[in-house]
Amino acid sequence: MDFTHFNPQSQKEEDFLANFVARRGVLDYFLRQLRLLEPTRPATHHLIVAPRGYGKTSLLRRIAIAVRTEPDLNSRLIALSFREEQHNVISLDVFWRNCLQSLLEVREDEKATDDEIEALDAAWERHIPRQALKREDQDGEPVKQEFNKHCECLGRRPLLLIDNLDSLLAGLPENHQWSLRNDLQSAGGPILIAAASRYPESTHDQKAAFYDFFRIQTLDKLDDKEVMYCLRIRAENRGEAGKKCWT
């Protein structure tokens, strides 16, 4: 039996879109926010909080697909997705390098020119984390400037779609969290839509970097009506009754 529907990242895009039947109202909310965002204004950043299994990862992937396929959004934004677990992020050197890697992967998918791909690949290879420095001093500035330069050349604002933000922030030194907050508050800077299974510590400590920073969106458990709707759509997508539906 095919259990890939439990892992949205492993599904083919066509199957994923067919199976995305819950959380459509939440998706519409985020897309409205992105459409209304003025290009040169600081962004409002969002954090989706819900237990595991409530659809956070699916929602982030669906936002990325919408940004890629809706011409107006795609002309202004470039959606960057990341590995679900970000335990390797121990400094902004690593964080911005991950952003550069995601940008490279997206531009490869978009069939960018060989020159652009080679430049991005060379930049990623060049900006390895500076392990000779203390972790607190690996501030990410060189690779962040490289990342911003490439986004500015594209004329598209980066949309960072990050799962398990609580794990990522927990790995960053306090001064790096404040630096990241400042970068996210910059005019025309990156937009962050993140997800977490619990509130990151730095969102509820008044002295921490991300206190009162995110617009919080919680995902509640689906009610009976929503569950029945999802089951009905899934059944319709499976096609003819009794027909084999797995590989």
Side-chain angles (χ1 to χ4, degrees), residues 115-166:
D115 286 346
E116 181 185 345
I117 296 302
E118 289 173 4
L120 283 167
D121 189 53
W124 185 82
E125 291 284 354
R126 183 168 62 253
H127 290 294
I128 61 174
R130 297 168 292 174
Q131 296 180 355
L133 299 178
K134 293 180 180 179
R135 186 165 67 103
E136 292 77 8
D137 296 331
Q138 297 174 28
D139 59 10
E141 280 301 313
V143 64
K144 181 187 74 174
Q145 292 176 16
E146 191 87 50
F147 173 76
N148 288 338
K149 180 184 72 175
H150 283 281
C151 292
E152 289 169 4
C153 288
L154 291 172
R156 297 160 69 188
R157 196 167 176 177
L159 170 62
L160 310 181
L161 299 167
I162 298 178
D163 212 345
N164 292 310
L165 183 71
D166 49 334

Side-chain angles (χ1 to χ4, degrees), residues 179-198:
S179 294
L180 180 58
R181 175 177 176 136
N182 290 336
D183 292 331
L184 294 173
Q185 289 180 309
S186 63
I191 308 155
L192 176 60
I193 299 180
S197 58
R198 59 186 179 87

Side-chain angles (χ1 to χ4, degrees), residues 74-93:
N74 191 53
S75 67
R76 297 186 292 111
L77 305 174
I78 185 162
L80 306 180
S81 300
F82 302 81
R83 290 192 304 265
E84 184 175 352
E85 302 295 342
Q86 289 283 295
H87 296 306
N88 71 322
V89 178
I90 60 171
S91 70
L92 287 180
D93 272 12

